[in-house]
Amino acid sequence: MAKIILDFEKKIYDLEARIGELKTSSELSGYSVDAEVESLSQKLNELIRETFSNLSRWQRVQLARHPDRPYTLDYIQRIITDWVELHGDRQFGDDKSIIGGIGLLDGMGVMIIGHQKGRNVKENMKRNYGMPHPEGYRKALRLMKMAEKLKKPVITIIDTPGAYPGIEAEERGQSEAIARNLLEMSRLRTPVINMVIGEGASGGALGIGIGDRLLMLENTWYSVISPEGCASILLRDASKAKEAAEAMRVTAQDMLELGVADRIIEEPLGGAHRHYDETALRVRQVLSEELKQLTRLSTEELLKRRYKKIAAIGVYSE
Amino acid sequence: MNWFVRTKEKIFSGVRKQIPDGIWQKCPKCGEVIYFKELDKNARVCTKCSYHFRIYSEDYLELLADNGLFAEFNIAISSEDPLKFRIPKRYTDSIQTAKRKTGLNEAVRTAELTIQSIPVVVAAMDFRFIGGSMGSAVGEKIARAADRALKRNIPLIIISASGGARMQEGVLSLMQMAKTSARLSLLAEKGLPYISVLTDPTTGGVSASYAMLGDINIAEPGALIGFAGQRVIKQTIGQDLPNGFQRSEFLLEKGLIDLICDRRQLKSTIYKFLQFNYA
Ligand SMILES: [Zn+2]
């Protein structure tokens, strides 16, 4: 598959290609180009630093959707040992756009539930582009209840362009499935960590998104509607998504400032899609640390804090 | 506490304000021409075909309340503009316009009233106020209505009418789904009844939170109820939607609501559930 390169990444990839060519030609000719490679590499690092320290909201949205970005299973492979995937909602079917299962994180038993996107068209047929039907949310709830019963913490991994808007999804109660999860997650008697690794679109994200801590990778977005959806409704033009992303303030940094997110996980320079292992390592360290703190709390204290955290969100006057 | 007293003759005065001209209205469903006076006496339901015209927050409160008497609370809670939202116009301007047009401070009224002498807390959403959309103020008012029910140890009724979460507050409006649903879990733990009444329309973030979480979900006939918008669904699947899709009758058939109730029987139906609860 051809590498997908975003507009603002193009200079970076061009420079990398030039360095690569230089090295190859040096090997063939025998001439040393070390000095030039060294200078270009420095330039490359500067370029990456410059590009990634000035990202607009829209650029972050694009990174969050980058087709090479690590997805839920990429993290699970790297941070969870003895992973066993568990399937099905016990009522209708197995939604493959939300996966769930058990495993160990640094030796601690955890329940992992996350949206799963596909890497190519074939995978996306199976994963439905990470857009769940009601049975996905019901599977998620079933697994959360199991974790509650077995007194194991839950980690939910959020990465969805939205709950699926389709006839069958409506017939089977998309609204009810999401609503039920909101209610049940708010009182689940075990620690719940929510982590956004890519896209956090609306109710589709929130449906597995309530818990004690909301962590967001640096280049992710979260909002009530996609920038395209907002632009198409308010500006009658979906191509004005960039404006909508700015207006709605959708980035991880915005979420921190609005009191919605609790912590940002910094991505290695150049973005998670260029550094799977390093990103996963950081995620593992943060999750481990957060879990240790949460598991120290009594269930009553945990629920009290969760309730207060949810109740505090919002800005109004009276 | 502000008490609003209405005489029996003026039950639907709120609606009349909406339509200052003319003395009759044509039913969009059957074409029958009906005098307002007749329509008002009939809970704004078509006298010929039972089409339900839209009514608004104060109408529902009066419809349910004994003697049309209710005590509204948290009236002052109002939206702010935390994002400094400017597209395509200032959110603060939209709020001001809505306030002026409706005389409301927000897209929901919350009140205490009695239904056949049984005290209840009622939150009635209002579609006139920015499409009944839920922002932080609506979320907070709904949450506090639940708190009031908890404190008084009485049932909660929420009458929904909303296009969904309010985009102009971005993620904060999304999080109101969490806030309101979390509050309902407290009612559930205390064993207090929660009745959800779904009216036209109840979609998006409101349907995907408290509107679908009633111990009983009651819908008005023909109401549009669903998660995703019809235009979005059509675009996504590339085909036309079946007749009656996302209407109350469709939801009843799919097992998603308990019953469809004609507005003229709404009070007596809710009363039966309250009576059952206390019997
Ligand atoms: Zn009619």
Side-chain angles (χ1 to χ4, degrees), chain B residues 27 29-32 46 48-51:
Chain B
C27 172
K29 197 175 165 197
C30 73
E32 178 84 348
C46 175
K48 194 175 168 197
C49 77
S50 294
Y51 171 82

Side-chain angles (χ1 to χ4, degrees), chain B residues 12-279:
Chain B
F12 295 99
S13 59
V15 176
R16 229 179 262 135
K17 269 180 251 146
Q18 278 290 100
I19 315 142
D21 307 318
I23 49 163
W24 51 265
Q25 192 161 1
K26 196 170 172 179
C27 172
K29 197 175 165 197
C30 73
E32 178 84 348
V33 169
I34 319 155
Y35 285 101
F36 276 136
K37 230 169 141 183
E38 291 301 307
L39 211 48
D40 282 353
K41 263 193 242 160
N42 208 35
R44 294 194 66 80
V45 173
C46 175
T47 46
K48 194 175 168 197
C49 77
S50 294
Y51 171 82
H52 283 51
F53 288 81
R54 267 189 197 152
I55 63 170
Y56 302 99
S57 52
E58 65 272 22
D59 307 320
Y60 279 110
L61 293 173
E62 286 171 14
L63 180 79
L64 294 182
D66 293 339
N67 304 316
L69 194 86
F70 57 88
E72 203 177 337
F73 56 87
N74 289 329
I75 294 173
I77 293 180
S78 176
S79 291
E80 291 284 295
D81 179 19
L83 307 185
K84 306 270 172 285
F85 201 89
R86 297 275 177 279
I87 60 165
K89 56 184 173 196
R90 286 166 185 268
Y91 175 40
T92 46
D93 290 345
S94 308
I95 297 168
Q96 285 314 316
T97 308
K99 282 184 177 178
R100 210 172 43 240
K101 231 176 63 189
T102 61
L104 295 166
N105 274 333
E106 251 312 323
V108 67
R109 284 182 198 266
T110 53
E112 277 191 54
L113 51 89
T114 58
I115 293 176
Q116 313 272 49
S117 303
I118 298 176
V120 291
V121 171
V122 182
M125 298 190 77
D126 201 304
F127 193 72
R128 292 170 301 186
F129 198 102
I130 317 184
S133 55
M134 170 164 65
S136 302
V138 169
E140 185 64 21
K141 285 186 83 169
I142 297 272
R144 290 202 200 172
D147 286 344
R148 178 79 64 128
L150 279 165
K151 201 173 148 209
R152 295 264 194 279
N153 204 28
I154 58 179
L156 174 69
I157 300 167
I158 302 178
I159 299 162
S160 294
S162 172
R166 194 174 292 170
M167 270 177 286
Q168 291 88 337
E169 290 184 30
V171 76
L172 294 177
S173 61
L174 180 73
M175 292 299 158
Q176 303 312 308
M177 295 166 63
K179 183 191 273 189
T180 52
S181 303
R183 218 58 72 95
L184 292 177
S185 78
L186 301 184
L187 255 72
E189 266 150 37
K190 212 174 168 188
L192 283 173
Y194 162 46
I195 299 170
S196 173
V197 179
L198 300 96
T199 74
D200 185 57
T202 298
T203 58
V206 168
S207 85
S209 57
Y210 50 85
M212 274 294 165
L213 292 173
D215 295 312
I216 56 168
N217 296 330
I218 305 175
E220 284 196 342
L224 179 72
I225 301 164
F227 177 70
Q230 299 209 341
R231 195 172 51 89
V232 174
I233 297 175
K234 236 188 270 182
Q235 270 173 10
T236 306
I237 62 173
Q239 58 191 47
D240 283 334
L241 303 175
N243 267 342
F245 180 63
Q246 291 185 322
R247 295 285 164 187
S248 306
E249 297 71 18
F250 170 91
L251 272 86
L252 185 69
E253 193 56 37
K254 299 298 172 189
L256 299 169
I257 53 175
D258 290 275
L259 65 150
I260 294 172
C261 181
D262 188 298
R263 190 181 292 152
R264 291 164 292 190
Q265 276 88 54
L266 185 61
K267 181 172 180 172
S268 58
T269 303
I270 289 177
Y271 173 69
K272 281 181 199 161
F273 187 70
L274 296 174
Q275 182 189 244
F276 156 81
N277 180 60
Y278 292 111

Side-chain angles (χ1 to χ4, degrees), chain A residues 261-287:
Chain A
D262 298 293
R263 182 171 181 176
I264 293 176
I265 303 173
E266 271 185 43
E267 293 177 25
L269 206 60
H273 62 295
R274 289 165 60 100
H275 306 278
Y276 277 35
D277 290 341
E278 172 64 18
T279 309
L281 183 68
R282 292 183 186 191
V283 162
R284 193 185 101 192
Q285 284 165 347
V286 171
L287 285 177

Side-chain angles (χ1 to χ4, degrees), chain A residues 125-139:
Chain A
M125 294 294 279
K126 174 175 162 186
R127 302 294 183 189
N128 201 31
Y129 298 86
M131 303 172 87
H133 281 73
E135 51 273 23
Y137 295 103
R138 290 176 182 137
K139 168 167 72 178

Side-chain angles (χ1 to χ4, degrees), chain A residues 165 170-171 173 175 179 186-187 202 206 210 222 224 232-234 247-248 255 307 310-311 313-318, chain B residues 77-78 80 83 85 88 136 140 144 165 170-171 173 176 178-179 182-183 186 189 207-209 226-228 246 250 254:
Chain A
E170 297 289 321
E171 283 178 348
S175 288
S186 74
R187 63 172 175 182
S202 193
L206 192 65
I210 293 187
Y222 205 162
V224 65
S232 116
I233 294 170
L234 291 182
M248 287 196 296
M255 294 308 112
Y307 173 80
I310 298 170
I313 299 176
V315 178
Y316 55 89
S317 62
E318 73 179 302
Chain B
I77 293 180
S78 176
E80 291 284 295
L83 307 185
F85 201 89
S136 302
E140 185 64 21
R144 290 202 200 172
V171 76
S173 61
Q176 303 312 308
K179 183 191 273 189
R183 218 58 72 95
L186 301 184
E189 266 150 37
S207 85
S209 57
F227 177 70
Q246 291 185 322
F250 170 91
K254 299 298 172 189

